[in-house]
Every structure is written in structure tokens, then in C-alpha cells.
């Protein structure tokens, strides 16, 4: 029987972020004892990922940041590109390998945090805490007893929702034969991609040099593509839209992010909580998760330091979630043309303000002003629809 005040299940962005915050305390305070349980190498371990977010000034994880941009660009289906200077914000990209190395380095100097490589088989509420039942690489089973457990593993199924779309993507880190990228500007959404019959698609270009960039194809729809489908979409985007010419694929990444108006539980036992995407940190309208994880884990760490019950707070406000529910319904019903909607917003709202809106940091009057640039009829009909729609389990993958 092992013991700790805090057990963190999963060493993805959420688990590592919480462990990092709990390892650092004020000089006059004591760090709680923490065990971070990471799955053995294999399918249970999170795949390599790239996370993006925006913030002003220096950030907590800047040492792991691959690149930053002050200028962002959105390309409508036709017509001139929309460029924006987001200063004092910076759009930042972190690769998961670099993030893990930074956190590992800091945790190595934190004796209160231990790492355990094992498969978690069950988490059980018990009197005064919880048990995490694990199996190590040799097949031995053990139980880790902790006062609080924070589980970041993806749930087996999504909660019932009125609308659930998937943001699914496939990306290449490429190196081109000639200098074709503008390293000062990131393409946030490029709607010159062929649009699917249902949902929307766009490209995404994050340059890290004149010849190096992450290029991705993304869809918002109900079903992911096949491997051949993603390959075809990427070939079409890089060859026919971007016209990159000869290139070499250095690495790839593929992912699926649920975009749902489901009520995602953050407390699943007296001492057991969910964090990260499993705890609702993903913004339903955009799929961005990293910033929500930082808000959530920061609040948990603060509650533990103060001796309070560390229930993870909602990563996004009730108003933001309500607006997202309307947008998801408008997109899923086909009432709103996604590329036209997003292009119009970026054309008429200053980009810095729109990023603050997407991060849930605007005030009510700003939200209303931004809403006037959305297609009012389709959005209003979608809002009126919502109270009548049943919540159904998601029947997709």
C-alpha cells in the first residue's frame, strides 16, 4: 500500500500541469505529497501533440515553447486574407515532448512528487480518500491510497448532449526545398480547403522558420476521416492551395477533440475529480484546451494550499458555454455557413478582442457587440431550438 496526499492519474497536459503546480510552493509553505501515475509505453499513453494558446508577456512554460507569433492570419474561401496584430498577446506553440522535458526537469528537483509507471485499473472511493488500483509492468497489482485523486484519462464515452461535433485533424511537420513560409505570421484558419457536405474544414499553418512549419488539415464534423482521407486532404492542401513544392515530412500528428454542449462532470466521487479535457477544459466552440487546463489546475493547486476541497472549477463560464451551445447547434443543423461565419467575425472584430472572446475574457457588452456580427437569424433560431432538444448519447467513435 502506497500513500500520498494527492494522486494524479495520467501524465498528459493536465496531469503534468497539476504536478508542476503542486511541486512549486511558497518558501514558507509545504508541498503536498504527490504520486503521478503514468501509463507504460503503448496505446494507453497520450500520443505526441502540439498545443497552442495565447497570452500576454512571459508565461509559465515559455522554456518549452517552440515558436510564438504576434501576427495571425485568417483566409476566407475567396478574397483577400485577414491579418491581425494581437499585441500584447502572443500566440504560442508547445510540442508535448518539450513540455514533458521541462516538467520532468522541474519535478526532479521536487522530492514531494514521485512518478509511478503503471496501468490504472480502477479508482475507488473509500472512507477518508480514494484507492487507485494499478498494475505494473510485471503484472503485479498494488493499491495507492490518496486523500485526493485527479483523473485526466479520457472517459470511455461522452455524456449525453444536444449537439456533439468532432474536431478531427491530421498534420505534418514539413521542411520545404525552398523558403516559402513567413515566420512572423501564423495562419489560424484557412478556408480555401474543399468544404465537406456536413460541417466545415480549414487549414492551419504554424511556421517555425522560412522552410519549416506545422501544416494541418482540420474538420468540424460528426465523423473522422480514414487514414487515406487525411492523406488526400493534406496532399491537396499543401500542393494545390499552399503550393509548397517539394517537401519532406519530418513527423505527423493526428487527433480527435469532442466539441459538445454536454454537462461534463468534474467530481465523480467524494475524493475523486476529473481534470483536463476529461473535466471539461476544452472550449466547445474551438477545441482549444491548454489555457483551460492552466486555469483549472491553478485553481486546484490554490485550493489545496488553502486546505479547501479541491473541486476543479469550470474552465469556461456559463455564458461562454451557452454561446458555444448555440454555435454548435447552428453549425450542426446547417443553418450557419461555418467558413462565412468565422471569416465575417475576423473581418469585423479586432483580432485581439476576438481572441479574448474565444478565451472567455470579454464582458457581456463585448459579447453582445461581437454577436451582432454573427448571422442573427440562424443563431436566434438555434438558440430557440435548444430548450426543446433532448440530450442523447453520442453514437460516434
Amino acid at each position: 500500500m502506497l500513500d500520498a496526499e494527492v494522486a494524479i492519474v495520467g501524465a498528459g497536459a493536465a496531469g503534468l500541469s497539476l504536478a508542476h503546480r503542486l511541486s512549486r510552493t511558497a518558501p514558507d509553505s509545504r508541498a503536498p505529497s504527490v504520486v503521478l501515475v503514468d501509463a507504460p509505453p503503448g496505446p494507453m499513453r497520450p500520443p505526441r501533440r502540439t498545443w497552442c494558446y495565447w497570452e500576454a508577456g512571459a508565461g509559465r512554460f515559455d522554456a518549452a515553447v517552440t515558436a510564438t507569433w504576434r501576427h495571425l492570419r485568417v483566409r476566407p474561401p475567396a478574397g483577400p486574407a485577414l491579418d491581425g496584430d494581437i499585441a500584447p498577446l502572443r500566440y504560442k506553440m508547445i510540442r508535448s515532448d518539450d513540455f514533458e522535458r521541462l516538467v520532468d526537469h522541474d519535478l526532479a528537483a521536487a522530492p514531494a512528487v514521485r512518478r509511478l509507471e503503471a496501468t490504472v485499473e480502477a479508482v475507488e472511493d473509500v472512507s477518508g480518500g480514494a484507492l487507485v488500483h494499478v498494475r505494473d509492468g510485471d503484472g503485479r497489482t498494488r493499491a495507492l491510497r490518496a486523500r485526493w485523486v485527479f483523473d485526466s484519462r479520457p472517459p470511455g464515452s461522452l455524456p449525453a448532449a444536444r449537439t456533439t461535433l468532432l474536431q478531427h485533424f491530421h498534420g505534418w511537420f514539413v521542411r520545404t526545398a525552398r523558403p516559402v513560409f513567413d515566420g512572423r505570421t501564423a495562419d489560424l484558419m484557412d478556408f480555401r480547403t474543399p468544404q465537406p457536405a456536413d460541417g466545415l474544414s480549414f487549414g492551419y499553418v504554424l511556421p517555425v522558420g522560412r522552410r519549416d512549419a506545422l501544416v494541418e488539415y482540420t474538420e468540424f464534423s460528426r465523423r473522422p476521416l480514414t487514414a487515406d482521407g487525411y492523406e488526400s486532404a493534406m496532399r491537396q492542401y499543401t500542393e494545390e492551395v499552399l503550393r509548397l513544392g517539394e517537401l519532406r515530412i519530418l513527423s505527423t500528428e493526428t487527433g480527435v477533440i469532442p466539441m459538445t454542449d454536454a454537462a461534463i462532470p468534474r467530481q465523480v466521487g467524494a475524493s475523486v475529480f476529473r481534470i483536463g479535457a476529461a473535466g471539461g477544459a476544452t472550449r466547445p466552440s474551438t477545441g482549444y484546451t491548454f489555457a483551460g487546463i492552466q486555469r483549472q489546475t491553478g485553481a486546484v493547486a490554490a485550493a489545496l494550499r488553502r486546505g479547501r476541497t479541491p473541486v476543479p472549477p469550470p474552465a469556461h463560464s456559463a455564458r461562454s458555454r451557452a454561446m458555444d451551445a448555440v454555435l454548435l447547434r447552428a453549425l450542426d443543423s446547417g443553418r450557419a455557413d461555418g467558413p462565412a461565419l468565422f471569416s465575417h467575425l475576423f473581418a469585423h472584430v479586432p483580432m485581439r478582442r476576438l481572441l479574448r472572446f474565444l478565451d472567455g475574457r470579454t464582458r457581456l457588452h463585448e459579447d453582445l457587440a461581437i454577436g451582432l456580427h454573427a448571422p442573427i437569424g440562424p443563431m436566434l433560431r438555434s438558440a430557440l431550438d435548444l430548450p426543446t432538444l433532448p440530450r442523447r448519447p453520442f453514437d460516434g467513435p
Side-chain angles (χ1 to χ4, degrees):
M1 182 80 73
L2 303 174
D3 291 283
E5 292 171 76
V6 174
I8 302 171
V9 178
L16 290 173
S17 295
L18 181 56
H20 192 261
R21 290 181 182 278
L22 294 178
S23 71
R24 296 189 166 192
T25 58
D28 58 344
S29 61
R30 184 186 66 85
S33 59
V34 177
V35 172
L36 175 62
V37 185
D38 191 9
M44 300 301 292
R45 200 172 263 196
R48 291 177 176 175
R49 284 283 184 269
T50 300
W51 301 307
C52 292
Y53 58 101
W54 48 87
E55 65 181 351
R60 184 183 190 91
F61 302 113
D62 278 359
V65 168
T66 301
T68 69
W69 301 270
R70 173 178 163 177
H71 297 92
L72 298 180
R73 181 166 50 217
V74 171
R75 295 185 182 272
L82 309 169
D83 294 276
D85 184 338
I86 63 171
L89 299 176
R90 291 291 188 276
Y91 193 67
K92 300 183 177 183
M93 176 176 76
I94 287 184
R95 301 184 72 174
S96 56
D97 286 353
D98 296 327
F99 181 72
E100 185 168 356
R101 278 191 289 269
L102 172 66
V103 175
D104 282 348
H105 175 270
D106 291 347
L107 293 185
V113 180
R114 293 175 289 157
R115 296 193 72 157
L116 174 65
E117 189 174 282
T119 300
V120 174
E121 298 192 326
V123 179
E124 175 190 6
D125 253 324
V126 296
S127 177
L131 292 178
V132 181
H133 298 276
V134 302
R135 183 181 298 275
D136 66 19
D138 295 326
R140 294 173 299 182
T141 58
R142 289 187 280 176
L144 164 66
R145 185 183 183 97
R147 178 65 186 92
W148 308 109
V149 175
F150 298 91
D151 194 344
S152 65
R153 296 172 300 166
S157 60
L158 294 173
R162 294 166 297 193
T163 309
T164 298
L165 295 176
L166 300 178
Q167 179 181 153
H168 50 99
F169 56 89
H170 183 67
W172 296 344
F173 278 92
V174 302
R175 178 164 295 156
T176 58
R178 56 190 176 87
V180 295
F181 299 113
D182 175 6
R184 299 168 300 176
T185 303
D187 282 288
L188 194 65
M189 303 178 96
D190 183 349
F191 292 110
R192 296 176 297 171
T193 53
Q195 296 301 311
D198 299 305
L200 64 95
S201 75
F202 57 91
Y204 191 69
V205 182
L206 300 181
V208 295
R210 293 286 289 148
R211 296 173 53 223
D212 294 85
L214 169 61
V215 182
E216 287 195 354
Y217 173 83
T218 301
E219 279 193 16
F220 294 178
S221 60
R222 294 190 181 187
R223 296 289 184 274
L225 303 182
T226 63
D228 288 343
Y230 287 121
E231 182 75 12
S232 175
M234 282 298 298
R235 291 290 175 193
Q236 192 274 342
Y237 183 52
T238 56
E239 295 173 7
E240 300 179 26
V241 178
L242 298 179
R243 299 183 183 276
L244 298 183
E246 183 182 347
L247 59 82
R248 183 156 55 98
I249 301 171
L250 305 179
S251 62
T252 65
E253 65 174 33
T254 303
V256 179
I257 302 171
M259 304 169 66
T260 176
D261 67 354
I264 298 179
R266 301 181 308 280
Q267 183 166 7
V268 292
S271 299
V272 183
F273 311 97
R274 287 181 177 155
I275 57 172
T282 300
R283 180 75 194 260
S285 61
T286 65
Y288 282 103
T289 305
F290 194 81
I293 284 173
Q294 301 316 314
R295 288 192 289 270
Q296 201 174 63
T297 56
V300 167
L304 287 168
R305 284 194 294 268
R306 294 167 185 155
R308 298 176 181 173
T309 302
V311 180
H316 310 286
S317 70
R319 189 168 79 243
S320 294
R321 298 195 304 275
M323 291 186 293
D324 287 355
V326 174
L327 175 62
L328 290 176
R329 176 59 181 165
L331 292 175
D332 189 45
S333 65
R335 293 191 183 111
D337 179 318
L341 185 156
F342 285 108
S343 297
H344 191 80
L345 285 176
F346 278 99
H348 293 86
V349 179
M351 201 168 287
R352 182 173 62 251
R353 184 182 305 165
L354 197 52
L355 291 183
R356 289 178 48 242
F357 170 76
L358 294 177
D359 212 20
R361 297 187 180 276
T362 45
R363 298 182 179 181
L364 177 59
H365 72 276
E366 293 176 295
D367 293 347
L368 294 174
I370 292 171
L372 293 176
H373 295 292
I376 294 177
M379 302 302 271
L380 182 58
R381 288 195 296 274
S382 298
L384 294 174
D385 262 358
L386 289 177
T388 68
L389 295 176
R391 293 185 180 270
R392 295 190 175 95
F394 182 59
D395 61 356

